[in-house]
Amino acid sequence: MIIERRSADRGHVRAGWLESRHTFSFGSYYDPAWMGFGPLRVINEDRVAPGAGFPPHRHANMEILSYVLSGALAHRDSSGAGGGEIGPGQLQWMSAGHGVEHSEYNASGTEPVHFLQIWLQPDRVNAAPAYARRDAGAGGDWQLLASPDGADGSLAIRQDARLYALSPPAGAEVARELSGARRYWLHVAAGAVTLYGRELQAGDALGFVEETATLRIERSGNTPADVLLFELPA
């Protein structure tokens, strides 16, 4: 089964300094048809005005990933390990564990920051909070960014999930095998790609459940594209 989620159909929240598109139900946006996809609970595409951001607040028992598309994000948290700025081509992981207070602000007073906020439910509860980040610039082949075991320099998240990134090269098709024993969520973070005869724009997504198939992805047009693929428990 293939599930389609178009960008324009996502929840839309505008609150002065923040404009956000919600793939799944979040905050004031609620749709019982879109409560998550397996342990993938949140994909929010946030644009934060210069100098603004999310003041200190608490989370518990959630794996939180931040993927910056443009601008810079300033992070602080109470774990003692988290702090600093991340920019385009970087991925930040914070495991809230038994509880952590954190803030996320636009690091610039003049330019907006555009990023994806991603939440996954963990496979354990009340662990110690943890923080890490890594370069995540997508290349011409699939790059493993996060995994349960930290393979290939990926972030070692607390869930049986893997996050891959891809920037398809111009004029070439990139393949990826899918196992029917897993489920997958493909999110176009930037640009446009063609897949299964569908053209997908930034913000569009496809979910795959019990699909044993080969993904064949091509970039559409001359603008670079950035694609994220989540491999999740069935």
Side-chain angles (χ1 to χ4, degrees):
M1 178 174 63
I2 300 176
I3 301 166
E4 186 172 85
R5 182 63 157 155
R6 289 291 180 175
S7 175
D9 297 330
R10 296 177 296 172
H12 185 206
V13 175
R14 189 190 295 271
W17 57 270
L18 171 68
E19 183 173 7
S20 186
R21 293 280 184 178
H22 299 164
T23 296
F24 306 113
S25 295
F26 184 88
S28 62
Y29 168 66
Y30 173 74
D31 184 337
W34 296 101
M35 297 302 294
F37 187 75
L40 179 58
R41 182 61 188 81
V42 169
I43 303 179
N44 290 350
E45 181 181 358
D46 291 338
R47 288 177 169 87
V48 176
F54 302 93
H57 57 285
R58 292 190 66 81
H59 291 294
N61 295 317
M62 194 64 70
E63 304 293 281
I64 301 174
L65 297 166
S66 299
Y67 187 78
V68 176
L69 299 170
S70 64
L73 190 67
H75 171 88
R76 299 288 184 275
D77 71 49
S78 60
S79 73
E85 296 181 9
I86 59 170
Q90 293 187 305
L91 177 70
Q92 171 182 275
W93 165 66
M94 184 184 74
S95 183
H98 55 64
V100 66
E101 183 175 87
H102 79 117
S103 64
E104 308 288 342
Y105 277 92
N106 186 339
S108 171
T110 58
E111 300 294 331
V113 61
H114 181 198
F115 70 103
L116 298 179
Q117 180 185 170
I118 300 160
W119 294 12
L120 294 113
Q121 293 171 324
D123 61 6
R124 69 206 75 172
V125 297
N126 297 331
Y131 175 91
R133 61 184 180 180
R134 58 155 287 168
D135 290 338
D141 203 353
W142 294 103
Q143 295 187 33
L144 180 63
L145 303 184
S147 69
D149 56 4
D152 300 326
S154 61
L155 298 176
I157 61 175
R158 295 162 173 172
Q159 177 53 263
D160 180 20
R162 290 168 178 82
L163 171 60
Y164 298 88
L166 170 71
S167 182
E173 183 180 80
V174 182
R176 182 81 192 179
E177 299 297 324
L178 303 186
S179 166
R182 304 281 281 175
R183 64 170 60 193
Y184 301 84
W185 188 266
L186 184 143
H187 181 92
V188 181
V193 298
T194 301
L195 173 67
Y196 287 159
R198 296 175 169 93
E199 181 164 302
L200 303 176
Q201 304 285 339
D204 290 342
L206 294 176
F208 302 87
V209 180
E210 296 182 350
E211 283 284 321
T212 299
T214 301
L215 293 182
R216 300 188 185 278
I217 299 177
E218 293 183 85
R219 192 173 89 185
S220 297
N222 297 319
T223 303
D226 193 355
V227 177
L228 299 179
L229 179 67
F230 298 85
E231 178 193 322
L232 305 160

